[in-house]
Amino acid sequence: MKRILFILFFPVFTALSFAQSTNDYSGYVDLYYMARLSDNSLINIPYRIFNINVDHQNGDLSIKSTLSLEHQLRSDTYFLTNNSPQDFHWDLRELYMQWFTSFGEIRIGKQIHAWGSADENSPIDVVNPLDYYYLFSAGAERKLATFSTATDLYINNTKLGFVFSPVHNTHRTPGGDDDFPISIPIAPDPEQIFEIDDKPYEIGGFINQTFNFGDLTFSYFQGYDRIFNLTGVNVYGRGPDLSFSHIDILFGYRKTSVMGAGSVLLLGDVTLRGDLGYFDTQDQNTDINQASSFLPEIYDSLHFSYPLHEESKYYQTTFQFEYTLPFDIRLTCQFFTYDTLSYSSDSLPVSEQISIPNLDIDPEQLEPRQFFTPGMGASLAVLSRKAGFISLERHFNDEQLKLNLTTMLDLDDSNFDGTLPGVLLEGHIDYNMTDELRATIGLTKIYGSDDHPDGENYRFNKMEDFSHLRFELKYFF
C-alpha cells in the first residue's frame, strides 16, 4: 500500500520540490453606510467590511483562498442579551487546490462556480447556493461556496466541465428579524424539517463549444432544493384522544434535476446572451410518520398523516441584450421569466383546524399548488415571475468616473388589471479618487402597487421601505 501511494504522489512531490513558488494577495476594505429615504434611519444589514484573496502558486499546483470579515452594527439592546463586544464574524469564502494539467484543470475544496451565459440571474447557474443578504450584489458576491470537486477539460474549441459535491447545500435566507426586505414566510423548527434519507450528493456537467460568432453550452445538474418546501401534515393526539390535538406542518427538500442551454452571440456591436433551464422536481418523502415536534411525550399518538408527494416541472429563462449607444453609453437589457409546466400532489384535508402559517390561504381552497415555489434556479424568481431590466452605464475621464442607471420592472401581468407594476430604480456614481481608493454614492427607490391583489404581501410593497441612500468608501490593495 505504501508503495502504491508513493508511486501515485511522487510526481506531485517532485513538482513541488523543483518548481518555483509565488504568493500573491489582494483584497479590499469597505466602509459602508445605508439610510432609508423615508426617515433617514440606518438600514442595518450584514456586509463584508474586509476581504482578502491569497493565492499560492507552485508549478502546476496552486492554492486559492478568500477570507472575508462580515460586519453588522449592534442594536441598542445588544448587550442585554450578549456580553461579547464583537460585532463581526470571519467567513472563509473559498479555499481550494487547483492543479493544471495538459488536458485542463482539477479543483478540489470549498469553491464558487460560474455556470451560464447571462451576466446575472442565470437559471442554470445552480451549483452554488445564494446568500440572500447579498441579493442586490453582483456575480460571486451573492454566492456561497460549496465543498466540491470540479474538472475542466479542453479539446480544441470544446470545453467539458464536471462538478461533484458530497453534501447538500442550502441558501442563506434572512429570518425577518432585521432590516432586509425579503424573508421566508415560515421559520419552522429543525424538528419539522425532514433530513434527506437518500445520498445528498450533487453532481453535474456541461459542454461548451466556441465558434467565431460566440459559443453554445448545454448542461445538466442534479441535487436537492436550496430552500425547504412543504412536504405534508401530521395530526397527533394524546393516546386515542383527539379532543386536544397537535398539528405538525412538515417540510423537506425536493430532489431536482436541471437541464440547461445557454448561448453567447457576438453580432458586431451587439452582444446577445441567453440561458434556458428546464427543472424536474420531486418530493422524496413518501412516508412522513415521525414523533411530534411539540411535547412528544404528551402528543404520543399519530392519528392522521398527509404526505403531499409533490412533483412539478417548470422552466426559467433569461435573455440579455448589450449594445453601445452614442457617446459611449453602454446599454444592457435583460428579460427574465419562469412558469410552471405541470404540477401534481396529494391533497390536504379541508378543515379549519389545519392551516399553513403566514400564508393566509382559505381552508376551503387549500391547494398545495397555490404555494409551490421553485427551490432551485435564478434568485430573481423570489421577486417576480416575469421581470425586465434596463441599465445605462457611462465612463468619464479615462474611467475615473462611472455613472450607472438601472430600472427593474415587474412584468408579471397575471396579477394586474390595468394597474402599474412594481418598479425598482437605482443610480450610482463611482469615483476613483486614486488607483486604490474608490468612492460610491448610490440611490435606490422602490415603488410598490396599491392595487396589487396580494396587497401588503406583494414583494414590491414590502420592499418600499428599503428605498435608501448609500455611501461607500472602498480601498483596494
Side-chain angles (χ1 to χ4, degrees):
M1 185 65 179
K2 292 181 180 180
R3 179 176 298 179
I4 295 175
L5 292 175
F6 177 79
I7 294 173
L8 289 175
F9 287 97
F10 178 75
V12 177
F13 294 145
T14 303
L16 289 173
S17 300
F18 292 97
Q20 182 179 1
S21 64
T22 59
N23 296 289
D24 297 311
Y25 70 91
S26 62
Y28 61 79
V29 175
D30 191 8
L31 303 179
Y32 200 92
Y33 177 79
M34 183 186 297
R36 289 182 177 86
L37 294 179
S38 57
D39 57 7
N40 298 319
S41 62
L42 176 70
I43 296 180
N44 188 11
I45 58 176
Y47 74 98
R48 299 184 182 107
I49 193 173
F50 174 78
N51 189 91
I52 184 170
N53 304 306
V54 180
D55 296 340
H56 173 78
Q57 182 80 34
N58 195 330
D60 294 334
L61 293 173
S62 65
I63 296 176
K64 296 183 177 294
S65 63
T66 301
L67 181 65
S68 296
L69 185 65
E70 189 176 72
H71 174 260
Q72 185 172 15
L73 293 173
R74 291 186 294 264
S75 63
D76 296 338
T77 58
Y78 176 83
F79 288 118
L80 296 178
T81 58
N82 193 328
N83 291 325
S84 172
Q86 295 184 353
D87 53 3
F88 65 89
H89 73 266
W90 290 101
D91 177 18
L92 183 61
R93 298 265 295 147
E94 288 188 284
L95 179 60
Y96 63 92
M97 184 174 67
Q98 187 175 28
W99 183 19
F100 297 95
T101 69
S102 59
F103 54 81
E105 63 180 85
I106 301 172
R107 302 183 302 276
I108 301 175
K110 186 178 182 182
Q111 55 189 302
I112 293 175
H113 307 270
W115 282 24
S117 301
D119 289 339
E120 304 291 343
N121 304 311
S122 171
I124 61 178
D125 192 11
V126 295
V127 181
N128 294 98
L130 299 175
D131 189 334
Y132 272 79
Y133 279 113
Y134 299 90
L135 180 63
F136 300 104
S137 300
E141 288 294 313
R142 66 170 69 178
K143 296 181 181 181
L144 296 174
T146 62
F147 284 98
S148 54
T149 299
T151 302
D152 291 337
L153 307 177
Y154 299 92
I155 306 173
N156 297 325
N157 294 329
T158 303
K159 179 181 178 181
L160 300 174
F162 304 94
V163 64
F164 171 80
S165 178
V167 296
H168 174 222
N169 302 283
T170 61
H171 294 322
R172 181 193 184 191
T173 53
D177 56 352
D178 49 34
D179 292 341
F180 197 74
I182 300 174
S183 62
I184 54 177
I186 301 173
D189 294 328
E191 293 80 9
Q192 293 177 265
I193 300 180
F194 274 84
E195 295 183 359
I196 298 174
D197 293 333
D198 198 5
K199 297 177 181 179
Y201 62 81
E202 302 176 347
I203 190 169
F206 67 85
I207 179 171
N208 173 269
Q209 182 67 45
T210 302
F211 304 94
N212 294 331
F213 54 84
D215 62 54
L216 183 64
T217 303
F218 295 97
S219 64
Y220 177 82
F221 184 82
Q222 180 177 281
Y224 287 84
D225 280 357
R226 304 306 187 196
I227 191 168
F228 56 81
N229 59 277
L230 181 65
T231 195
V233 174
N234 283 342
V235 181
Y236 302 89
R238 302 180 181 182
D241 184 12
L242 264 180
S243 301
F244 299 94
S245 61
H246 170 70
I247 299 172
D248 261 353
I249 310 296
L250 301 173
F251 304 87
Y253 295 95
R254 294 184 298 254
K255 190 173 185 178
T256 301
S257 60
V258 187
M259 290 184 289
S263 180
V264 178
L265 299 179
L266 306 176
L267 307 175
D269 296 332
V270 175
T271 300
L272 302 178
R273 302 175 184 270
D275 287 316
L276 171 65
Y278 173 80
F279 299 78
D280 187 347
T281 183
Q282 296 182 358
D283 192 336
Q284 303 296 296
N285 298 318
T286 57
D287 183 1
I288 61 173
N289 295 343
Q290 68 171 18
S292 170
S293 64
F294 176 71
L295 298 178
E297 65 279 2
I298 297 178
Y299 298 100
D300 56 358
S301 179
L302 176 61
H303 286 256
F304 303 103
S305 184
Y306 304 95
L308 281 183
H309 302 144
E310 195 174 50
E311 297 183 12
S312 179
K313 294 178 175 62
Y314 59 95
Y315 77 91
Q316 296 182 359
T317 184
T318 300
F319 174 77
Q320 183 173 321
F321 170 87
E322 303 171 23
Y323 181 70
T324 300
L325 299 172
F327 306 105
D328 293 327
I329 298 175
R330 187 65 177 173
L331 169 67
T332 302
C333 301
Q334 194 176 90
F335 174 76
F336 166 82
T337 185
Y338 86 87
D339 199 4
T340 303
L341 299 173
S342 66
Y343 179 88
S344 66
S345 72
D346 291 348
S347 60
L348 293 174
V350 178
S351 168
E352 295 183 357
Q353 294 181 336
I354 297 178
S355 63
I356 309 301
N358 300 324
L359 291 184
D360 300 327
I361 297 177
D362 186 348
E364 297 298 327
Q365 300 176 350
L366 192 57
E367 293 289 339
R369 175 190 297 271
Q370 298 179 13
F371 42 86
F372 169 80
T373 56
M376 198 176 288
S379 59
L380 191 58
V382 304
L383 299 180
S384 175
R385 283 183 172 269
K386 188 184 297 182
F389 286 87
I390 301 175
S391 175
L392 297 172
E393 186 173 287
R394 174 75 157 85
H395 293 262
F396 301 88
N397 298 335
D398 295 328
E399 300 192 356
Q400 184 178 13
L401 180 68
K402 182 178 76 173
L403 174 64
N404 181 276
L405 300 174
T406 301
T407 301
M408 173 187 172
L409 295 91
D410 181 11
L411 302 177
D412 185 7
D413 53 3
S414 62
N415 293 323
F416 294 92
D417 184 16
T419 60
L420 294 175
V423 178
L424 184 150
L425 301 175
E426 181 181 83
H428 66 263
I429 299 173
D430 296 335
Y431 179 68
N432 294 323
M433 304 171 67
T434 68
D435 291 339
E436 297 82 18
L437 187 63
R438 186 179 72 196
T440 300
I441 299 177
L443 176 67
T444 299
K445 178 63 177 177
I446 303 172
Y447 297 93
S449 175
D450 295 334
D451 300 322
H452 195 277
D454 292 341
E456 294 181 356
N457 292 324
Y458 177 44
R459 285 291 191 187
F460 282 80
N461 288 343
K462 290 183 175 182
M463 292 168 56
E464 278 189 332
D465 194 46
F466 193 66
S467 300
H468 63 267
L469 180 67
R470 66 183 181 277
F471 303 92
E472 186 175 6
L473 193 62
K474 203 166 188 177
Y475 176 77
F476 298 89
F477 59 88

